[in-house]
Amino acid sequence: MSSFFLDTKAKERHNGGMDLSSIVIAGAAVVLCIALIYGFSSISKKSGKGSSSKKRTSIIRDATRKLSQNPHNASALNELSDLYYREHLWDKAFPLFETMLNIASSNKDIDPFQAALRHGICALHLKKNEDALRGLATAVKLNRESFEANYYLAQAYYQSNEYEKAIPYLKKSLIYNQDASNLHEWLGLSYYNIKRFRDALPYLKRALTDNPEQKAILFAMADSMQQTGFGEKALKVFLHLRPDPEFGARSCLAAGVMHMNSGSLEKAEQDFEIGLKHANIPQDVLLEIKYRLAGCYLQNKKMDQGLILLREIQVVNPTHRDVASLITRYQELKQNSNLQIYLAAGNSDFVALCRKITLCYFEHANVKILDLNVSTDNTEILAEIDTAKWEDIISFRFYRTTGTIGELHIRDFHGRIRDIKAGRGICLTAGSYSEEARNYIEGRPIDLIDKQGLIRILKRIGS
């Protein structure tokens, strides 16, 4: 009984060993087959690559030989230029297409349209815009309905900053292919750059949908919205762009100007100060930010800070806006607190100063103010003056402008004097009078006090 079981187990072990051997042999056969297949495949690929490489070398060798014998050999030009073009070897393909373009009219074996088109495309890739325009303009003349010719000619004009010329070709390309890359962006930015902001907006919006992270499109759209009456939406975009390293400074400038125009000087200051923190700001933008910020500082009575910025601008560009006159004006204001009030204070403080001037204008006189009238461009005070030697009704007119008062203003003042039956009129300004105005007062009861005379009066009356 025990020997039976032993024999049985021995057979099982023997059979088990046979099964394992079969599996190992089968597996080895599979591996060998895979190796053979892979080997043949590799050999085939290498053979294909080798064959392709040999064919390329042969084309280049044969075409070069033919061209050395005849530079205008059409078959060699066609074959070699096509090879280089398909491989995007633009610098090698370009001179071949240049030759083909020049001889296409006299050589029936060269396709003039393809030569012109590919010549222009190569030139575009090589940033030879003049050559690109020449080739692509020729291609469009030969086939006005070609999408490629219109598209690449539009691109060449766009890259040459000839936006008005680019627009019709961009629009035509869009008719042929709504989904072609960059068309909406180029159209929107072309209209934007020629200041046709309303036309730019729909294309910019579509371009932004396709490229939501494109900051150039976003800035142009915000500026276009601001220019066409969508100020609130534009301001949000400018504020969003303030930290951007490329468009941040210009966005700060735009936001600051909008805040200034709405009377939010503190917000405007913040915008401009953030703008100045950016690096590599274009000089025109930098000067304008400093100029605007100086204006905010001066309006907020931060005269020292404002003058520092104005002097920085003057060092770079002495003729920038009215910087020179502002520096002169505010240096004088620093030295004379009454002049500060006269030129820059609120209306109530200005009127109070005018009353003070009226009361102190004539020394040792009793003054009684009879009437006071404040208009948009001047303030008038009617006063009764009584001195030891004379008494009279005097009309004082005060102008805050630093510009030139002309004859029409003085004629108006003279008419006013007659209407109220005043004995004399005294006109004061922080600016000057025209020669015609000074001639007009000859023989008339009017005294003209210009800026220098006003400063002497303000110094005399004290603070």
Side-chain angles (χ1 to χ4, degrees):
M1 200 58 181
S2 59
S3 64
F4 172 79
F5 283 112
L6 287 172
D7 292 340
T8 303
K9 286 181 181 179
K11 288 178 182 178
E12 286 176 356
R13 282 197 299 272
H14 176 72
N15 291 335
M18 289 294 291
D19 291 342
L20 182 60
S21 298
S22 300
I23 292 170
V24 170
I25 291 168
V30 170
V31 171
L32 181 60
C33 288
I34 292 172
L36 289 170
I37 292 168
Y38 180 78
F40 287 132
S41 175
S42 298
I43 290 168
S44 176
K45 286 181 180 178
K46 287 178 182 178
S47 176
K49 286 181 181 178
S51 175
S52 176
S53 177
K54 286 179 181 178
K55 184 178 178 182
R56 181 183 186 278
T57 303
S58 175
I59 290 172
I60 295 173
R61 184 183 61 248
D62 292 345
T64 303
R65 178 178 53 78
K66 291 176 183 177
L67 291 173
S68 67
Q69 297 169 357
N70 176 13
H72 293 172
N73 185 301
S75 64
L77 286 169
N78 282 322
E79 202 164 14
L80 191 57
S81 65
D82 184 64
L83 173 67
Y84 288 148
Y85 184 83
R86 285 186 286 104
E87 292 181 349
H88 294 178
L89 298 175
W90 313 116
D91 56 332
K92 292 185 178 181
F94 175 75
L96 298 173
F97 287 119
E98 176 84 17
T99 301
M100 294 167 72
L101 183 61
N102 291 334
I103 66 172
S105 60
S106 59
N107 195 318
K108 64 180 182 179
D109 293 323
I110 292 176
D111 181 348
F113 169 73
Q114 180 169 287
L117 177 65
R118 291 188 170 187
H119 170 272
I121 293 172
C122 289
L124 265 182
H125 284 287
L126 295 171
K127 303 191 183 304
K128 298 174 181 255
N129 274 13
E130 287 187 13
D131 291 312
L133 288 169
R134 179 164 61 89
L136 293 165
T138 302
V140 168
K141 285 180 184 177
L142 293 169
N143 185 355
R144 296 187 182 278
E145 305 308 314
S146 165
F147 166 75
E148 277 190 297
N150 283 280
Y151 177 83
Y152 285 110
L153 180 57
Q155 183 179 345
Y157 277 129
Y158 181 84
Q159 291 182 357
S160 300
N161 299 330
E162 296 189 54
Y163 302 111
E164 285 200 68
K165 291 182 179 179
I167 287 170
Y169 296 104
L170 287 168
K171 293 180 81 170
K172 196 167 185 178
S173 301
L174 200 59
I175 293 170
Y176 295 141
N177 187 350
Q178 288 277 337
D179 299 319
S181 61
N182 300 319
L183 279 178
H184 291 93
E185 176 185 342
W186 291 341
L187 257 172
L189 291 177
S190 292
Y191 277 124
Y192 171 74
N193 282 310
I194 62 173
K195 302 187 184 307
R196 288 174 59 177
F197 302 110
R198 199 171 297 280
D199 291 324
L201 273 173
Y203 296 109
L204 291 172
K205 288 177 181 176
R206 168 62 189 272
L208 198 62
T209 301
D210 297 336
N211 299 289
E213 299 304 316
Q214 179 63 271
K215 298 298 191 298
I217 301 172
L218 190 58
F219 178 84
M221 190 178 75
D223 197 23
S224 297
M225 287 192 296
Q226 194 270 329
Q227 298 286 346
T228 52
F230 299 96
E232 288 187 17
K233 292 181 179 179
L235 182 59
K236 289 179 181 178
V237 178
F238 287 135
L239 293 176
H240 170 72
L241 284 173
R242 283 192 312 185
D244 184 76
E246 184 176 358
F247 293 94
R250 283 191 281 173
S251 297
C252 288
L253 175 59
V257 170
M258 294 179 76
H259 279 135
M260 279 187 81
N261 292 339
S262 65
S264 304
L265 290 180
E266 289 186 6
K267 290 182 178 179
E269 270 188 33
Q270 185 183 45
D271 293 327
F272 298 136
E273 286 169 350
I274 292 171
L276 289 181
K277 292 178 182 177
H278 282 280
N280 303 318
I281 306 173
Q283 184 171 290
D284 59 330
V285 177
L286 178 62
L287 293 181
E288 190 62 15
I289 292 175
K290 287 185 175 182
Y291 179 84
R292 296 286 186 166
L293 181 55
C296 288
Y297 285 153
L298 295 172
Q299 288 186 61
N300 286 331
K301 298 181 174 59
K302 301 175 183 178
M303 219 167 299
D304 289 332
Q305 290 170 269
L307 282 168
I308 288 170
L309 287 174
L310 290 174
R311 291 191 187 102
E312 287 177 4
I313 296 169
Q314 193 176 45
V315 169
V316 177
N317 183 359
T319 60
H320 186 79
R321 289 181 175 260
D322 56 344
V323 166
S325 61
L326 285 174
I327 290 173
T328 302
R329 176 183 179 186
Y330 282 96
Q331 282 176 333
E332 290 176 345
L333 291 179
K334 278 187 69 180
Q335 298 165 7
N336 189 324
S337 59
N338 281 330
L339 187 60
Q340 287 184 40
I341 295 170
Y342 194 96
L343 289 174
N347 209 43
S348 59
D349 290 337
F350 170 68
V351 171
L353 179 61
C354 293
R355 289 173 62 92
K356 191 174 181 179
I357 292 171
T358 302
L359 294 171
C360 300
Y361 188 85
F362 296 102
E363 295 185 61
H364 312 300
N366 292 318
V367 181
K368 180 181 179 182
I369 293 178
L370 303 176
D371 191 25
L372 189 151
N373 182 47
V374 179
S375 66
T376 54
D377 68 339
N378 67 75
T379 294
E380 281 188 14
I381 296 177
L382 186 66
E384 183 180 84
I385 310 296
D386 186 4
T387 71
K389 295 182 179 180
W390 58 271
E391 62 179 70
D392 206 346
I393 303 296
I394 306 292
S395 179
F396 293 82
R397 177 174 281 194
F398 300 88
Y399 286 100
R400 300 185 82 172
T401 179
T402 57
T404 301
I405 302 295
E407 181 185 343
L408 289 177
H409 290 87
I410 304 306
R411 281 182 179 274
D412 176 75
F413 185 38
H414 183 238
R416 174 74 174 158
I417 292 168
R418 286 185 303 181
D419 291 343
I420 60 178
K421 296 179 171 55
R424 189 162 195 82
I426 298 171
C427 185
L428 302 95
T429 179
S432 59
Y433 297 95
S434 68
E435 191 64 29
E436 293 79 7
R438 291 190 180 278
N439 291 337
Y440 179 78
I441 68 167
E442 290 182 8
R444 293 182 173 88
I446 300 175
D447 293 336
L448 300 181
I449 310 299
D450 63 10
K451 180 181 178 181
Q452 297 307 315
L454 175 65
I455 290 174
R456 286 194 293 271
I457 293 168
L458 294 174
K459 286 180 178 178
R460 176 163 58 82
I461 66 175
S463 58

